[in-house]
Amino acid sequence: MLKIAVAGASGYAGGEALRLLLNHPGYGVDFEIGSLTGGSNAGTRFGELNPGLPALADRVLEETTEDVLRGHDAAILALPHGVSAALDLPESMKIVDCGADYRLKNANHWARFYGTPHAGTRTYGIPEMPGRREEIAATNYVAAPGCFPTGATMALMPAIASGLMAPQISVVSVTGTTGAGKKAAVNLLGSETMGNLRAYGVGTHRHAPEIKQSVEELLAPGYSSDDVHVTFTPVLAPLTRGILTTVTAPARGQARDIRRAYEKFCANEPFLHLLPEGQQPEVKSVVGSNMVHIQVEVADGMVIATSAIDNLTKGTAGAAIQCLNLMFGWEENAGLPQTGL
């Protein structure tokens, strides 16, 4: 039986990965859950930190070291940026890295937004991108996407890939507080977030170059990377989970053709749900699921595409399980809820 470790199990993303693994049809049949690791929480009983997963309550968190992780067939790395790149793990292990270390291709973008040496690039983990499923299935190391880039890429992908939207794009994403991780910070206190909305990282957020990179990869013939311009504004909202993203860009086609492009793109995607015309995505409809609810409108010559995701499921841990399913040859939607709470 395969053994899967979860590094960073005490965080929100690690806990969500474990929730999904425990409900996976392969749990106890194809795989078992191996080591659970944590940084400052090493040595702590897991049930003290996450009582919602009683099957693992008596496990004790181990330190995140190469020696601990090497004895596994696979690992989900839900670690702070910069940690996974420092780990020397066997090439034979199947790894899904939820950190940013290997997402960006452009070393200059990495240096500008992260301020450390560029570690390189691994297969990017959005299976819905054209040709990406085959790449994920063929590799042993996947860089899972960021939550904001997931919501933005899903919203814009059908229009950009079909050439029906110009790549001069404004992205605004409203997010819940779990996207910032389980760290102590004054700006994340309940009294600071409840009843409040606040933009942050405007023009400087680390996910901006990742969104731009996806746009460049999706460009239809006739456009080049020089044509791509992306602005990204994240907004913190008093939510625990969820991201609502609005993408706006000039239309390069008729409204009916753009609608058809979205219908065609989403038709055979298990986790993309194009809502009926006139109905807008809502975060509450996708919480706890791996779904992306999408809507597209055309007004005054502009495409306005909207998506809703759960930042911890499709935005992080769900994407990791989806990629792991492909890497092991399991059903892609195994263990991934398609119904919200």
Side-chain angles (χ1 to χ4, degrees):
M1 188 178 294
L2 299 170
K3 201 179 207 179
I4 301 176
V6 175
S10 58
Y12 292 130
E16 181 73 353
L18 288 168
R19 179 181 78 89
L20 296 171
L21 287 173
L22 287 169
N23 286 285
H24 194 289
Y27 175 59
V29 179
D30 298 314
F31 68 86
E32 62 181 358
I33 296 173
S35 295
L36 310 183
T37 80
S40 60
N41 289 306
T44 305
R45 180 176 169 271
F46 184 68
E48 295 178 23
L49 302 170
N50 196 334
L53 302 177
L56 302 172
D58 291 331
R59 295 287 195 92
V60 175
L61 290 171
E62 302 177 67
E63 292 187 15
T64 303
T65 66
E66 296 164 358
D67 288 340
V68 168
L69 296 175
R70 276 178 180 156
H72 297 77
D73 300 285
I76 294 173
L77 307 181
L79 300 169
H81 305 322
V83 176
S84 58
L87 295 172
D88 182 17
L89 298 175
E91 292 292 327
S92 59
M93 280 184 69
K94 294 189 185 296
I95 296 169
V96 182
D97 187 352
C98 296
D101 294 24
Y102 294 106
R103 292 175 191 162
L104 295 182
K105 295 179 179 179
N106 189 307
N108 291 329
H109 286 170
W110 176 270
R112 175 185 169 192
F113 285 88
Y114 290 89
T116 58
H118 187 228
T121 308
R122 303 278 192 165
T123 301
Y124 192 59
I126 296 185
E128 291 82 4
M129 292 180 74
R132 195 54 52 81
R133 278 189 174 88
E134 295 76 13
E135 294 178 17
I136 293 170
T139 188
N140 278 354
Y141 201 115
V142 169
C147 53
F148 286 129
T150 296
T153 300
M154 299 301 180
L156 61 82
M157 183 157 42
I160 284 289
S162 61
L164 294 173
M165 184 170 83
Q168 291 83 47
I169 300 168
S170 170
V171 179
V172 178
S173 295
V174 181
T175 183
T177 56
T178 52
K182 199 183 277 189
K183 62 188 176 187
V186 171
N187 66 312
L188 297 176
L189 291 172
S191 55
E192 299 291 328
T193 58
M194 288 187 294
N196 190 32
L197 291 171
R198 178 175 59 83
Y200 66 98
V202 179
T204 62
H205 196 280
R206 292 171 170 180
H207 284 175
E210 191 178 335
I211 297 170
K212 183 178 181 182
Q213 177 175 282
S214 290
V215 174
E216 291 172 343
E217 291 186 19
L218 292 165
L219 284 177
Y223 289 108
S224 73
S225 58
D226 292 336
D227 299 316
V228 178
H229 300 277
V230 174
T231 61
F232 174 52
T233 304
V235 178
L236 186 67
L239 307 168
T240 52
R241 302 163 71 122
I243 296 176
L244 182 71
T245 296
T246 300
V247 172
T248 309
R252 290 294 180 262
Q254 298 298 313
R256 63 179 180 275
D257 296 325
I258 294 170
R259 177 76 189 183
R260 284 175 190 152
Y262 277 77
E263 291 171 344
K264 182 178 179 181
F265 198 98
C266 296
N268 297 313
E269 289 293 342
F271 299 116
L272 301 187
H273 176 49
L274 180 64
L275 295 171
E277 293 184 64
Q279 182 180 358
Q280 284 296 321
E282 300 180 52
V283 165
K284 70 176 183 178
S285 301
V286 298
V287 168
S289 82
N290 203 54
M291 295 299 293
V292 186
H293 285 194
I294 300 172
Q295 185 56 277
V296 61
E297 308 284 354
V298 179
D300 198 24
M302 304 293 287
V303 177
I304 306 166
T306 312
S307 72
I309 65 170
D310 184 327
N311 59 294
L312 293 181
T313 314
K314 183 57 174 169
T316 311
I321 303 299
Q322 189 176 347
C323 290
L324 209 59
N325 285 339
L326 290 168
M327 295 164 80
F328 278 116
W330 300 330
E331 290 293 326
E332 184 178 340
N333 60 358
L336 295 171
Q338 292 174 286
T339 54
L341 299 177

